[in-house]
Amino acid sequence: MSNYHKNPDAIADLSPEQYHVTQENGTEPPFRNDFWDHKEDGLYVDIVSGEPLFTSHDKFDSGCGWPSFVKPVESDHIIAREDNTHGMRRIEVRSKHGDSHLGHVFPDGPRDRGGLRYCINSASLRFVTVDDLEAEGYGDYRHLFE
């Protein structure tokens, strides 16, 4: 198990949009982000801490313009908390170890897959292909793709 943490070097390397999303609780534009229609097999990890968050097998097209997932790869890497900003009542999701703002979770996902929709900002994610899992230290997750 890796030691995931809020990495100051990773934060320093963030683009302005990545910084705004992860560190200032921002939101990127729908349909104009890296992963909303991304279809390759692999693991989505927190761009700040590297902790594994979601797999491509749990991704679905919700039509909202952001990557949507039915569940996290490990629920203990996600913190959910009430968010009453912008005149709305939502549940924000953050990475546990990186404390990155990821997005929100809604109860309108596919019923046959648990009913949740984790609506996540691409700017908070880094994608690791299945072929690169071992090389990048995520070999323990390879079984999820076999």
Side-chain angles (χ1 to χ4, degrees):
M1 185 71 173
S2 295
N3 181 19
Y4 303 112
H5 62 281
K6 191 168 191 163
N7 183 335
D9 293 332
I11 293 171
D13 289 339
L14 296 175
S15 72
E17 182 173 53
Q18 291 167 329
Y19 186 89
H20 176 65
V21 167
T22 62
Q23 306 304 300
E24 299 175 333
N25 304 328
T27 301
E28 67 197 359
F31 302 105
R32 294 193 325 245
N33 56 75
D34 290 341
F35 300 125
W36 77 271
D37 65 347
H38 187 246
K39 307 232 186 304
E40 191 174 2
D41 272 350
L43 189 64
Y44 294 87
V45 303
D46 178 2
I47 198 165
V48 170
S49 68
E51 62 198 286
L53 299 172
F54 303 98
T55 73
S56 56
H57 290 185
D58 293 317
K59 190 172 186 287
F60 70 100
D61 183 3
S62 68
C64 71
W66 290 279
S68 296
F69 304 89
V70 295
K71 66 178 181 171
V73 69
E74 290 191 39
S75 59
D76 63 340
H77 287 204
I78 299 284
I79 302 278
R81 65 184 190 193
E82 192 168 325
D83 174 6
N84 294 312
T85 60
H86 307 292
M88 295 180 272
R89 190 170 192 190
R90 304 176 292 180
I91 302 297
E92 177 193 19
V93 288
R94 302 185 73 83
S95 61
K96 179 179 181 178
H97 302 288
D99 191 33
S100 296
H101 170 72
L102 304 173
H104 293 86
V105 61
F106 301 97
D108 61 0
R111 292 283 166 228
D112 63 335
R113 298 185 70 193
L116 296 178
R117 173 176 57 101
Y118 286 82
C119 184
I120 305 299
N121 289 284
S122 291
S124 67
L125 302 173
R126 184 172 69 83
F127 183 73
V128 180
T129 67
V130 171
D131 291 341
D132 291 337
L133 290 173
E134 280 82 17
E136 294 209 26
Y138 299 101
D140 289 348
Y141 296 92
R142 183 165 235 344
H143 72 278
L144 298 174
F145 303 96
E146 295 173 349

